[in-house]
Amino acid sequence: MAPVTEFEPRRTRLFGLAYRLLGSAAEAEDVVQDAYLRWDKADRTTIDHPDAWLAKVVTNLCLNRLTAARTTRERYVGQWLPEPVPTDLLGPLETVEQRDSVSLAVLVLLERLTPAERAVFVLRAAFGYGHREIAEVMELSEANCRQLYRRAAQHLADHKPRFQPSREERERLATRFLAAAQNGDLRALEDLLADDITSWADSDGRHPMARNPVSGRARVARYFAGAWRKVPDGMAFTFAEVNGGTAIVVTVGGMPMGVVAIDVDGERIAAVRIIANPAKLSHIGSLAGS
């Protein structure tokens, strides 16, 4: 069987692994392509378990990149947020844990972990690997992997998956949020927001956005009402499923200018993350105007 024929059915899963490990879709694609090149050159008659072999290659490639990424992100201007990705590019999200593991909220929290902790946590929580399998991938002892997973889980202990209403209900809430912001209706905005809401914005200094988080219902309402007064003519808005949740895709002339990702908890908006760094919007282009 040709190498590409064996590899392609595994590509989406490998991309999902690399993306969770890196928080960057562009880098994840590079890693998967590098993994394919290694697969193509390998003596595949000696590979008894292709899925495990490829997972090990992808994980090791990501670990190398994570070490370098920390230095780069220390120089980032303002808030750093993961690169948004259309949900349907992330493969099957059949469980709450799998869907939660691609959320922007969790990907940000994963930045707190060491590269090894992050790899063990992703393999265990998102892909269901046993500790023995993880030990083989990481080339560590099973006891060490258990310890790494325990430490990672402790770092993420405060995070609890939010109650997600249906996609239709989330889009209705996002529609009301957009309308209230466009109309500068502070009362309507506050009615939609949770008391402890926080908004983050990531543009790497390329747009006049808040560089620090904005927290609290009243402050966030004023922030969005004020921001929409500065929206240029020709800007359009569509709704899309991004990272397992609902987002507003902002376009001008059909080109993506930003993503406003909304975290919903019950009937309130609990968090908003704005990604407007042009370098992070390549995968959102397919949603523009959809």
Side-chain angles (χ1 to χ4, degrees):
M1 187 179 293
V4 68
T5 304
E6 294 178 287
F7 187 87
E8 283 305 313
R10 298 177 167 94
R11 182 180 289 275
T12 298
R13 181 179 174 86
L14 294 172
F15 173 79
L17 172 60
Y19 174 67
R20 287 170 172 88
L21 289 175
L22 298 170
S24 166
E27 286 192 72
E29 285 192 335
D30 290 344
V31 163
V32 173
Q33 189 57 30
D34 285 348
Y36 170 73
L37 294 176
R38 297 189 182 201
W39 171 258
D40 185 39
K41 294 176 182 177
D43 180 0
R44 290 181 302 285
T45 62
T46 65
I47 300 174
D48 294 328
H49 304 288
D51 289 335
W53 190 91
L54 286 166
K56 183 174 183 175
V57 169
V58 166
T59 299
N60 286 329
L61 288 168
C62 288
L63 287 172
N64 292 336
R65 287 176 177 253
L66 277 172
T67 302
R70 288 181 179 273
T71 303
T72 302
R73 288 171 191 172
E74 286 174 0
R75 300 193 299 268
Y76 203 79
V77 180
Q79 299 291 305
W80 180 92
L81 293 174
E83 185 177 344
V85 177
T87 300
D88 59 8
L89 297 183
L90 295 169
L93 302 176
E94 297 168 351
T95 66
V96 173
E97 291 77 15
Q98 286 178 328
R99 180 170 287 270
D100 197 47
S101 70
V102 295
S103 71
L104 295 175
V106 167
L107 292 173
V108 168
L109 290 176
L110 292 178
E111 292 291 307
R112 301 178 182 179
L113 308 181
T114 67
E117 287 171 348
R118 185 167 184 165
V120 169
F121 184 84
V122 167
L123 289 167
R124 177 71 174 163
F127 290 88
Y129 279 73
H131 288 294
R132 181 177 299 177
E133 296 171 299
I134 295 171
E136 292 175 358
V137 169
M138 299 289 292
E139 295 185 349
L140 298 170
S141 71
E142 189 173 340
N144 196 355
C145 288
R146 288 182 183 276
Q147 186 179 42
L148 287 168
Y149 179 77
R150 187 162 51 249
R151 287 208 302 259
Q154 287 171 350
H155 281 295
L156 275 63
D158 291 339
H159 172 75
K160 298 292 187 295
R162 302 185 188 278
F163 168 71
Q164 286 277 341
S166 68
R167 177 174 179 172
E168 291 75 18
E169 291 170 326
R170 283 185 275 121
E171 287 196 1
R172 278 197 293 270
L173 194 60
T175 300
R176 290 170 59 197
F177 170 78
L178 179 59
Q182 288 176 309
N183 294 329
D185 190 336
L186 287 173
R187 180 68 176 273
L189 275 170
E190 289 189 22
D191 286 345
L192 295 169
L193 307 179
D195 290 336
D196 58 350
I197 184 172
T198 298
S199 174
W200 296 265
D202 172 345
S203 73
D204 197 17
R206 303 188 190 192
H207 299 286
M209 294 178 162
R211 293 189 178 182
N212 296 311
V214 180
S215 298
R217 176 186 290 176
R219 290 187 66 209
V220 172
R222 289 196 300 271
Y223 174 58
F224 278 98
W228 247 274
R229 295 193 195 104
K230 305 170 187 175
V231 168
D233 293 337
M235 190 168 281
F237 307 93
T238 55
F239 300 104
E241 281 286 293
V242 174
N243 287 79
T246 295
I248 302 168
V249 178
V250 184
T251 59
V252 173
M255 296 295 295
M257 299 295 293
V259 171
V260 182
I262 295 173
D263 275 7
V264 176
D265 189 8
E267 298 179 353
R268 303 278 183 177
I269 295 173
V272 181
R273 294 176 178 82
I274 307 165
I275 301 100
N277 181 349
K280 295 185 177 182
L281 300 177
S282 60
H283 284 75
I284 297 300
S286 62
L287 299 175
S290 63

